[in-house]
Amino acid sequence: AQEASSQMTLAIYQPGEIDQLAQRLSLESELRRAVEQEAFTLAYQPQLNLEQGRVVGVESLLRWQHPEKGWISPTVFIPLLEELGLIHHLGEWVMQHACWQLSQWQQQGVCSADQPLRMGINLSPMQFAQPDLAEQLVRAVSQHQIQPRQIKLEITESVAMQDPQASIALLHQLRELGFQIAIDDFGIGFSSLEYLLRFPLDSLKIDRAFVKDITRGRRDRAIIKSLTSLCQGLNIATIAEGVENQRQRDYVDALGVTEIQGYLLSQPLSADDFVAWWSAFQA
Ligand code: C2E
Ligand code: MG
Ligand code: MG
Ligand code: MG
């Protein structure tokens, strides 16, 4: 029977496709094993408030080191985790680990009431649709004695707009619990801005596509300018993603952006490297 089924497989797939399929299947089984063994880490990328000149937060970014292939991008393995039904489990690990790390930094005096640090946590489309999302989050913060307002949840514009009414209700619930809300990768669905700004939001993260050509394109500057003035009026902070050089920083600063994040400041760092980076930055 096994022979017959492998023959059928050979009949259906072209040679190149078999390679792809085999590669994917091995990635899948390795990913399953990695989830079981919790072979993941979080990297942290700083966010700088331009007016205060202070690092006010970090975004946690999931990292998977494959035994042979090295670091694999979350843009590759997060969709796979969703397909395999593993995102619920790993998503909770991320929440737990991010809260644990923040409590460690508090205990070590790395951050404090005088020098607060916010932790950003990304939520995938399927996580955002989970009925027990709020429960998972509340469990993570209370287990590590973190205030919900120290946590900023990042969801992408497209996820929020999939079912706007349901999103608004969920975001209100999360916000009433005390969590901060950010819209990630903003700008791709620009037409929905007016609608989106009815959502209960704390921050809007301007996609790096708009920052990339800011020194050349008038259009991108005009978009950022209108975004920042709209958000100011609504008490929503704006964060420019992907700021890679000083000229981009100067432009977004002049256009009224609240915070910047990107390689100019730092790449995403391990917890220890972030602590070292931050103290050097302050000195
Ligand atoms: P994102 O949330 O928009 O994260 C920002 C991405 O931009 C990160 O990629 C970061 O490394 C990269 N980046 C930061 N500064 C710069 C820069 O100056 N230039 C350029 N070119 N890139 C920059 P990363 O870490 O590969 O993550 C990709 C995406 O994977 C994230 O996009 C997020 O959507 C998702 N992701 C990452 N970690 C998690 C997680 O823990 N849970 C979930 N659900 N999704 C995650
Ligand atoms: Mg993000
Ligand atoms: Mg983003
Ligand atoms: Mg992005």
Side-chain angles (χ1 to χ4, degrees), residues 108-144:
Q108 295 159 4
V110 172
C111 58
S112 62
D114 296 333
Q115 189 165 274
L117 193 69
R118 195 183 60 207
M119 176 67 76
I121 296 178
N122 287 287
L123 298 175
S124 75
M126 276 180 85
Q127 286 182 281
F128 194 64
Q130 272 169 210
D132 65 340
L133 174 67
E135 262 171 70
Q136 278 189 335
L137 286 163
V138 169
R139 203 158 45 229
V141 290
S142 48
Q143 275 176 15
H144 300 285

Side-chain angles (χ1 to χ4, degrees), residues 5 30 34 58 79 93 129 156 197 212 230 249 267 271 273 275 277:
S5 79
E30 282 156 354
V58 292
W93 180 86
T156 64
L197 291 179
K212 197 167 164 277
L230 253 172
R249 174 183 170 158
Q267 303 250 342
D273 287 349
V275 172
W277 176 89

Side-chain angles (χ1 to χ4, degrees), residues 75 156 184-186 188 207-208 241:
T75 55
T156 64
D184 206 350
D185 301 348
F186 182 79
I188 295 144
D207 195 81
R208 69 166 180 268
E241 300 194 272

Side-chain angles (χ1 to χ4, degrees), residues 6-261:
S6 71
Q7 268 172 16
M8 275 178 67
T9 311
L10 287 172
I12 295 167
Y13 294 99
Q14 300 296 314
E17 290 176 317
I18 295 177
D19 287 350
Q20 269 183 17
L21 187 74
Q23 238 182 41
R24 203 195 127 130
L25 288 176
S26 88
L27 199 62
E28 275 185 19
S29 66
E30 282 156 354
L31 191 53
R32 278 187 201 281
R33 205 173 319 131
V35 171
E36 273 165 29
Q37 297 170 352
E38 302 197 336
F40 294 89
T41 57
L42 289 181
Y44 305 91
Q45 191 178 34
Q47 298 168 326
L48 179 76
N49 181 298
L50 290 172
E51 208 172 314
Q52 301 169 9
R54 220 180 64 73
V55 171
V56 288
V58 292
E59 177 176 11
S60 63
L61 294 158
L62 195 54
R63 295 291 178 261
W64 174 32
Q65 188 166 25
H66 185 279
E68 292 113 42
K69 297 187 185 89
W71 294 105
I72 296 184
S73 167
T75 55
V76 173
F77 69 79
I78 287 178
L80 257 177
L81 285 172
E82 291 207 316
E83 259 182 70
L84 297 170
L86 298 170
I87 194 69
H88 184 265
H89 180 74
L90 197 67
E92 178 148 34
W93 180 86
V94 169
M95 294 170 198
Q96 288 282 341
H97 195 77
C99 290
W100 170 81
Q101 185 60 68
L102 194 56
S103 73
Q104 288 292 107
W105 283 337
Q106 278 173 191
Q107 281 165 35
Q108 295 159 4
V110 172
C111 58
S112 62
D114 296 333
Q115 189 165 274
L117 193 69
R118 195 183 60 207
M119 176 67 76
I121 296 178
N122 287 287
L123 298 175
S124 75
M126 276 180 85
Q127 286 182 281
F128 194 64
Q130 272 169 210
D132 65 340
L133 174 67
E135 262 171 70
Q136 278 189 335
L137 286 163
V138 169
R139 203 158 45 229
V141 290
S142 48
Q143 275 176 15
H144 300 285
Q145 276 113 40
I146 294 294
Q147 302 295 320
R149 78 182 139 71
Q150 295 175 274
I151 301 296
K152 187 171 277 187
L153 305 171
E154 299 194 2
I155 56 158
T156 64
E157 181 188 0
S158 57
V159 169
M161 290 306 291
Q162 242 160 41
D163 183 350
Q165 285 312 316
S167 298
I168 290 175
L170 178 55
L171 294 180
H172 272 297
Q173 188 203 350
L174 292 170
R175 240 186 161 204
E176 267 156 37
L177 289 166
F179 295 102
Q180 293 194 43
I181 310 292
I183 294 292
D184 206 350
D185 301 348
F186 182 79
I188 295 144
F190 191 62
S191 57
S192 54
L193 176 64
E194 196 271 339
Y195 198 91
L196 191 80
L197 291 179
R198 290 185 212 168
F199 286 35
L201 300 180
D202 298 282
S203 317
L204 204 65
K205 298 190 75 176
I206 302 168
D207 195 81
R208 69 166 180 268
F210 289 94
V211 176
K212 197 167 164 277
D213 296 324
I214 196 172
T215 55
R216 277 181 283 155
R218 232 188 216 201
R219 182 182 155 272
D220 290 346
R221 288 203 289 271
I223 290 172
I224 294 182
K225 179 78 207 127
S226 64
L227 274 180
T228 56
S229 46
L230 253 172
C231 286
Q232 254 164 31
L234 295 164
N235 211 15
I236 296 170
T238 44
I239 304 176
E241 300 194 272
V243 175
E244 295 183 350
N245 58 54
Q246 186 63 39
R247 288 194 68 203
Q248 290 170 338
R249 174 183 170 158
D250 292 341
Y251 267 106
V252 296
D253 196 357
L255 295 169
V257 161
T258 324
E259 294 174 26
I260 58 166
Q261 180 181 347

